[in-house]
Amino acid sequence: MKAGQLDAIERLYRRRVPPDKVLSPELARTMCQITLDIRRPIAVVLTRKGQMQEIVVGTDLTLSPATLARFRAGVQSLRGLRVIRTQLHDQPINQELLTDLAYLRLDLIGVLSVDSDGLPGNLYLAHLLPPNGTGQLFNVLKTTAFHQSPVVFDVFIEELEAGLQRVRGHATKEGVASALLVSASSMSRAEQEDRLGELAELAASAGISVIDRLTQRTTGGHQRYLLGRGKLKDVLIQTLHRGADMVIFDQTLSPAQSRAISEVTDIPVIDRTQLILDIFAKRAHSREGKVQVELAQLRYLLPRLSGKGADLSRLGGGIGTRGPGEAKLETDRRRIRERIAHLEQDLRQFARHQDQRRARRNRHGMPVLSLVGYTNAGKSTLLNVLSKSHVSAQDRMFETLDTTSRRLRFPRDRQVIVTDTVGFIRDLPQELLGAFRTTLEELREADLLVHVVDAGAADIDVQISAVVTILRDLNLDALPRTLVFNKCDRLPPDEAALLCRRYGAVGISAIHPDTLHPLLRHLEQQLTLLVPDTGMPAVKGPDVLVLASGG
């Protein structure tokens, strides 16, 4: 463009639009004259006060990072900006502009046609609608000549925000966060749906309502956004359209992908690892459990510590600030590293205490049975029934985080220690595996691992394989194991018996104590072979409990 044309465009920044006008007649005429002169469309980005925020030349509607950072938009809120663009041909708003309207959460988007004399022609306007049952995302207003536009902007935006406020108030009253689940990988659609089913269970365990699930098959994954940019736009628009509060990816986002996605949206976007970390943070009750969870969170957060302040607050814990400066960023990183070192020291102290407890236990000569298995397989319920304990055992994933040990007396009057540990899951985040290594080291002292499996699970082989893989990673795969299929009452008796024969497992239902007698006899036989009874006197005490045998 020529210098004079650039000067004319720059002078538009001095213009102001009255609060009740979508676009003032003077600004409209000037924009049309410039468009006719440069033969290219121009778009003005206006605030609700009528001030000029940006001017975009060309057909691509892109807002600067500074504007996006200053004017944020949420699921039930608009960005506070409207865009009016000129065009040389008299055509209605196209789908691309409507997509930008939804994606950017604009107050209003408009197209102003330019006639052959460089004067304003027809005005085409569209705006978003609050989430509704009809599925309609936006409303395209009736075409009018620019000078006959019926829209009184300040009244219009007040009514639109009031509608959004009603939706926001309803969602707040319900008090349940909602999410859209996304899977993008080279897996088959069936595998992706299976994983999203498990992700939905994790979301429910975290108190999140799942609105919808989306899948996309990718060959190698898109390096920048995991999804393609266009598909990511569709996901974010669907999130806004359905009134969801966040997007949860089944795949773990790299630090670069997390930063790139956060730059293009204000909607919270988390991955599977963050969701599991959040569940662990809610469920940790003991001092040791809280230390391990915080350590895992900080290890996950450290490489992602950059950019927006929102990134620093998603995992909570009070670490980090909103300052984007490099010096401040380095200060935050140093604080996190110092905190990690302090937490690791605490874990070493916990490990020494565990060694002391194990030494006392070994002096009494009591064998140790450790319950392991996929999360929500029923390990805590089994522990409660075996030892008449009252450990929390709700039907949700990762209910148990802290190691629990109880005494059990077999019918032949031999005592053993039964321990229950955190459940496993496929692709267990490495941050959690590392942080909970101290707790899982308790398994190393076990004489026999009791691998509990949900007999009603649709993916039994996957769950068994996930547990075996984690045991191998912990160098515990050489320990003797007994396979136990729990929840057999949910299957027809013949099917449960066939399943147990196929896997060489013992079938039980932990909520029906009368089904446990074969398991008790089997465990007692196994321990007799592995740890012969030395004849040492049993340790008496109020916590020595008996499960009487009826067999």
Side-chain angles (χ1 to χ4, degrees), residues 288 354 357-358 361 366-371 379-380 383-384 386-391 400-408 416-422 439 441-443 445-446 543-545:
E288 183 177 358
Q354 285 183 357
R357 289 196 298 269
R358 285 194 289 265
R361 186 186 306 155
M366 284 187 289
V368 177
L369 295 174
S370 287
L371 304 178
K379 300 182 294 299
S380 297
L383 175 71
N384 285 338
L386 288 175
S387 62
K388 298 189 186 331
S389 302
H390 300 285
V391 176
T400 300
L401 296 187
D402 303 315
T403 300
T404 304
S405 296
R406 294 291 185 270
R407 294 180 191 174
L408 166 67
V416 299
I417 297 293
V418 183
T419 63
D420 181 22
T421 59
V422 61
T439 294
E441 285 293 323
E442 187 82 10
L443 300 175
E445 302 301 318
D543 57 338
V544 178
L545 301 167

Side-chain angles (χ1 to χ4, degrees), residues 513-527:
D514 57 307
T515 67
L516 302 183
H517 302 306
L519 173 62
L520 280 173
R521 288 194 295 269
H522 178 78
L523 294 179
E524 191 171 21
Q525 292 170 3
Q526 289 289 97
L527 284 177

Side-chain angles (χ1 to χ4, degrees), residues 38-52:
I38 65 176
R39 309 300 298 177
R40 277 190 259 178
I42 61 172
V44 292
V45 182
L46 300 169
T47 69
R48 290 184 183 176
K49 294 181 179 180
Q51 297 173 334
M52 190 73 66

Side-chain angles (χ1 to χ4, degrees), residues 72-309:
R72 297 187 178 276
V75 176
Q76 278 96 32
S77 63
L78 300 174
R79 195 172 293 276
L81 298 173
R82 63 186 181 273
V83 174
I84 308 298
R85 194 182 80 177
T86 59
Q87 62 180 11
L88 291 169
H89 304 287
D90 188 10
Q91 295 176 342
I93 298 176
N94 58 33
Q95 185 60 47
E96 184 178 355
L97 283 177
L98 291 175
T99 299
D100 289 330
L101 168 68
Y103 174 63
L104 295 171
R105 299 291 289 175
L106 299 172
D107 292 351
L108 190 72
I109 198 163
V111 170
L112 178 62
S113 65
V114 181
D115 66 18
S116 57
D117 296 325
L119 296 175
N122 289 328
L123 180 63
Y124 303 87
L125 296 174
H127 65 87
L128 291 175
L129 291 172
N132 53 77
T134 65
Q136 190 175 356
L137 179 58
F138 40 74
N139 180 36
V140 179
L141 302 182
K142 184 179 179 180
T143 306
T144 62
F146 172 74
H147 296 290
Q148 298 174 349
S149 174
V151 177
V152 180
F153 182 75
D154 52 356
V155 176
F156 155 80
I157 197 63
E158 184 178 351
E159 292 176 349
L160 182 57
E161 284 284 13
L164 291 168
Q165 187 67 39
R166 284 193 294 271
V167 174
R168 186 188 305 121
H170 179 67
T172 303
K173 185 177 180 180
E174 291 182 348
V176 178
S178 57
L180 200 71
L181 307 186
V182 179
S183 175
S185 72
S186 58
M187 298 179 183
S188 67
R189 185 176 181 84
E191 289 176 305
Q192 286 183 311
E193 291 291 348
D194 178 59
R195 289 183 60 95
L196 284 181
E198 183 175 270
L199 189 64
E201 289 186 48
L202 286 169
S205 188
I208 298 172
S209 171
V210 176
I211 289 182
D212 202 357
R213 310 175 189 182
L214 299 175
T215 61
Q216 183 186 40
R217 290 199 66 188
T218 58
T219 53
H222 294 266
Q223 295 298 317
R224 185 165 177 80
Y225 301 113
L226 187 63
L227 297 166
R229 183 179 177 88
K231 184 65 175 180
L232 178 63
K233 272 189 176 184
D234 291 341
V235 168
L236 297 176
I237 290 172
Q238 280 295 317
T239 303
L240 296 166
H241 178 43
R242 305 293 294 275
D245 298 301
M246 67 185 74
V247 178
I248 304 177
F249 277 89
D250 182 52
Q251 290 70 33
T252 297
L253 298 173
S254 69
Q257 288 169 341
S258 295
R259 287 193 292 270
I261 293 174
S262 69
E263 288 172 358
V264 299
T265 181
D266 295 316
I267 301 171
V269 177
I270 65 175
D271 59 22
R272 185 172 181 270
T273 298
Q274 284 176 285
L275 180 60
I276 294 176
L277 286 171
D278 183 72
I279 295 172
F280 272 55
K282 290 179 179 178
R283 305 281 165 74
H285 300 298
S286 69
R287 167 64 180 159
E288 183 177 358
K290 291 178 180 179
V291 166
Q292 291 175 122
V293 171
E294 184 182 357
L295 180 59
Q297 287 181 315
L298 293 179
R299 284 175 175 171
Y300 178 87
L301 177 61
L302 184 59
R304 294 165 173 80
L305 189 63
S306 66
K308 294 182 182 179

Side-chain angles (χ1 to χ4, degrees), residues 284-481:
H285 300 298
S286 69
R287 167 64 180 159
E288 183 177 358
K290 291 178 180 179
V291 166
Q292 291 175 122
V293 171
E294 184 182 357
L295 180 59
Q297 287 181 315
L298 293 179
R299 284 175 175 171
Y300 178 87
L301 177 61
L302 184 59
R304 294 165 173 80
L305 189 63
S306 66
K308 294 182 182 179
D311 294 340
L312 313 184
S313 62
R314 284 179 182 170
L315 291 179
I319 303 298
T321 67
R322 297 182 182 274
E326 184 66 22
K328 186 62 177 174
L329 185 59
E330 289 303 319
T331 301
D332 294 334
R333 286 173 175 162
R334 184 172 63 254
R335 290 171 57 199
I336 290 181
R337 292 190 186 101
E338 291 171 352
R339 181 62 179 166
I340 288 175
H342 177 72
L343 295 174
E344 289 174 340
Q345 177 61 34
D346 286 346
L347 286 185
R348 286 191 288 270
Q349 186 68 25
F350 291 136
R352 284 193 290 271
H353 291 164
Q354 285 183 357
D355 292 339
Q356 294 169 3
R357 289 196 298 269
R358 285 194 289 265
R360 289 195 298 270
R361 186 186 306 155
N362 291 336
R363 284 198 298 272
H364 293 309
M366 284 187 289
V368 177
L369 295 174
S370 287
L371 304 178
V372 299
Y374 213 75
T375 179
N376 205 29
K379 300 182 294 299
S380 297
T381 302
L382 179 58
L383 175 71
N384 285 338
V385 177
L386 288 175
S387 62
K388 298 189 186 331
S389 302
H390 300 285
V391 176
S392 179
Q394 298 186 43
D395 185 15
R396 58 184 184 179
M397 305 181 87
F398 295 117
E399 176 62 18
T400 300
L401 296 187
D402 303 315
T403 300
T404 304
S405 296
R406 294 291 185 270
R407 294 180 191 174
L408 166 67
R409 183 185 299 160
F410 282 124
R412 296 182 183 179
D413 209 31
R414 186 179 188 187
Q415 291 185 38
V416 299
I417 297 293
V418 183
T419 63
D420 181 22
T421 59
V422 61
F424 298 155
I425 196 170
R426 72 181 100 179
D427 302 329
L428 186 69
Q430 288 300 313
E431 293 84 2
L432 278 175
L433 188 60
F436 276 76
R437 188 173 292 272
T438 302
T439 294
L440 296 174
E441 285 293 323
E442 187 82 10
L443 300 175
R444 199 171 300 281
E445 302 301 318
D447 297 291
L448 179 64
L449 298 180
V450 181
H451 183 175
V452 183
V453 181
D454 181 356
D459 52 352
I460 287 181
D461 291 326
V462 172
Q463 294 194 9
I464 292 176
S465 177
V467 173
V468 172
T469 299
I470 293 173
L471 291 175
R472 186 185 304 119
D473 292 341
L474 296 169
N475 297 319
L476 299 172
D477 54 318
L479 289 176
R481 291 198 301 273

